[in-house]
Amino acid sequence: MRDLILIRPGSGEDGRLSQTVSFALGPQCPAQAISTAEAFEKAAGAGELRGRRILFAVALGEAGINLEWCRMLACLRTRPDCLDGSIGAVIVDGPGELYTKSTAKELVFSANQAGCAFIGQPLVEATGSLANFTVQARLLATGLPEAYRSAAASLVGRLREFSFAPHTAPRLLALHASSHRTSNTMALWERVREQLGGIETTEIGLRNGTLSDCSGCPYTACLHFGERGGCFYGGVMVEEVYPALRRADAVLFLAPNYNDALSANLTACINRLTALFRTTRFYDKAVFGIVVSGYSGGDIVAGQIISAMCMNKTFYLPPRFALIETANDAGTALKLPGIDQRIAAFAQTIRHTLLPGQKEEP
């Protein structure tokens, strides 16, 4: 893994982001800094963005857009292997209270599709007011700008030091709320599972009223139950999901697209992980997904998994973390053109992430 590279689209005249990035990088300047789409495309074409630690630092304009980043994004999406072997983190700074996180989610999804992995909790976002740093500032007994800079410095430190170690006997937990008989998502999972020799797989279904959603208990109550390994509402989450997740080295969400969103039960499952998260971080666990849409929108659902599990719950995001397909009628997913090759590539991604000595397929 070569030295850190900074991708900082635009002129760099945004004083707050520039100061924060300089503080976060410290005396160790990046080996390379890219600020224009032309330089980005040249570096991508020359293979200079592969095998790097990459810090994306994006300042948004008044409209919540960075035009230079949009041009870089277009290049990124047309070069699907330009970030192979790289690991990323993101800082997004905006003048208002909107668009910072949606920009980051789109960035991480597109970069991940191009082969970039992301550390757990890879985002530091700064809204215009910096009000999103209120809690951190209080804990650090400092001001909002100082809390922002501290978070950015911690992010860069984690990016430089991170490594995800394979396991000699890895465990994969698959979570779903679908019917085996009719679900295209489950059909794809069965085919993927057949190719995961050497990985212990556990499957937990969350259907038919087995799961209550999080009701937003006070922090102290949630922490109280989390410290005891449970949750106030109990049920399948405490009895099955929590123990399985503690044992697992990775979790796979089997996620059909319901109205451009994760299903209600999978959403409830993620929400209920908060009690466990109070006492446990998941930087050493990976997250994967199989997403099937009847018409379109698979990127939206995949982005929700990224936002919930990687950005918020600290799971490591492997490169090309999701198999994303479009299939409507039952059974059609396995008849899609080229599906066997995509299934094999996705299974190999899981194997390469979790098993030592596995060669990643291009």
Side-chain angles (χ1 to χ4, degrees), residues 15-24 91 93 124-138 140-154:
R16 189 171 72 174
L17 180 60
S18 295
Q19 293 171 11
T20 301
V21 169
S22 295
F23 180 87
I91 302 174
D93 193 307
V124 168
E125 59 165 335
T127 62
S129 66
L130 293 181
N132 56 309
F133 285 99
T134 299
V135 173
Q136 294 95 317
R138 184 167 63 245
L140 294 171
T142 189
L144 297 176
E146 292 78 13
Y148 173 26
R149 289 195 291 270
S150 176
S154 174

Side-chain angles (χ1 to χ4, degrees), residues 296-359:
S296 64
D299 55 320
I300 296 175
V301 175
Q304 290 172 346
I305 297 173
I306 288 172
S307 183
M309 298 299 291
C310 176
M311 291 184 179
N312 283 281
K313 292 293 190 286
T314 72
F315 281 76
Y316 166 64
L317 191 75
R320 303 180 185 92
F321 88 104
L323 176 64
I324 305 172
E325 301 293 340
T326 301
N328 197 313
D329 295 337
T332 56
L334 297 181
K335 301 176 183 178
L336 294 170
I339 189 62
D340 290 340
Q341 291 86 347
R342 293 193 295 278
I343 288 172
F346 181 63
Q348 182 60 25
T349 293
I350 297 175
R351 291 176 57 81
H352 174 77
T353 302
L354 299 181
L355 285 167
Q358 294 291 307
K359 181 181 179 181

Side-chain angles (χ1 to χ4, degrees), residues 138-181:
R138 184 167 63 245
L139 293 174
L140 294 171
T142 189
L144 297 176
E146 292 78 13
Y148 173 26
R149 289 195 291 270
S150 176
S154 174
L155 179 73
V156 171
R158 290 191 294 111
L159 174 62
R160 281 180 164 140
E161 297 171 4
F162 178 81
S163 63
F164 187 85
H167 304 266
T168 55
R171 297 184 176 100
L172 174 67
L173 170 63
L175 297 174
H176 73 91
S178 301
S179 166
H180 277 272
R181 186 174 61 85

Side-chain angles (χ1 to χ4, degrees), residues 172-341:
L172 174 67
L173 170 63
L175 297 174
H176 73 91
S178 301
S179 166
H180 277 272
R181 186 174 61 85
T182 60
S183 170
N184 279 305
T185 311
M186 297 303 293
L188 290 175
W189 160 234
E190 291 301 328
R191 290 285 299 277
V192 170
R193 190 176 195 171
E194 293 170 359
Q195 302 183 38
L196 297 181
I199 298 174
E200 178 185 326
T201 60
T202 300
E203 181 184 310
I204 298 178
L206 304 170
R207 300 186 72 214
N208 301 326
T210 60
L211 177 61
S212 299
D213 200 352
C214 175
S215 293
C217 290
Y219 172 82
T220 51
C222 188
L223 178 62
H224 170 78
F225 284 97
E227 287 176 339
R228 287 156 178 77
C231 167
F232 176 80
Y233 294 94
V236 67
M237 288 298 297
V238 173
E239 296 165 8
E240 296 185 49
V241 177
Y242 285 5
L245 186 55
R246 288 192 189 93
R247 292 192 301 268
D249 302 299
V251 60
L252 168 66
F253 283 87
L254 307 177
N257 180 350
Y258 289 171
N259 301 302
D260 291 334
L262 284 166
S263 70
N265 278 7
L266 289 183
T267 299
C269 174
I270 291 171
N271 292 340
R272 290 280 302 279
L273 290 179
T274 300
L276 185 60
F277 182 70
R278 297 293 187 201
T279 58
T280 306
R281 293 298 183 263
F282 304 111
Y283 295 108
D284 61 343
K285 299 180 187 292
V287 60
F288 298 98
I290 297 178
V291 178
V292 179
S293 300
Y295 299 98
S296 64
D299 55 320
I300 296 175
V301 175
Q304 290 172 346
I305 297 173
I306 288 172
S307 183
M309 298 299 291
C310 176
M311 291 184 179
N312 283 281
K313 292 293 190 286
T314 72
F315 281 76
Y316 166 64
L317 191 75
R320 303 180 185 92
F321 88 104
L323 176 64
I324 305 172
E325 301 293 340
T326 301
N328 197 313
D329 295 337
T332 56
L334 297 181
K335 301 176 183 178
L336 294 170
I339 189 62
D340 290 340
Q341 291 86 347

Side-chain angles (χ1 to χ4, degrees), residues 31-102:
Q32 187 177 0
I34 295 175
S35 60
T36 68
E38 290 77 13
F40 184 90
E41 186 163 10
K42 181 179 178 181
E48 296 174 1
L49 305 182
R50 297 175 181 167
R52 306 295 292 265
R53 305 276 167 155
I54 301 178
L55 177 65
F56 298 88
V58 182
L60 303 181
E62 290 298 323
I65 297 170
N66 181 310
L67 292 177
E68 199 64 29
W69 168 246
C70 290
R71 287 187 279 268
M72 290 184 183
L73 186 63
C75 173
L76 186 65
R77 290 177 175 175
T78 55
R79 293 181 177 274
D81 60 353
C82 69
L83 302 183
D84 278 352
S86 290
I87 300 176
V90 185
I91 302 174
V92 179
D93 193 307
E97 304 306 296
L98 304 178
Y99 309 119
T100 49
K101 188 159 285 181
S102 60

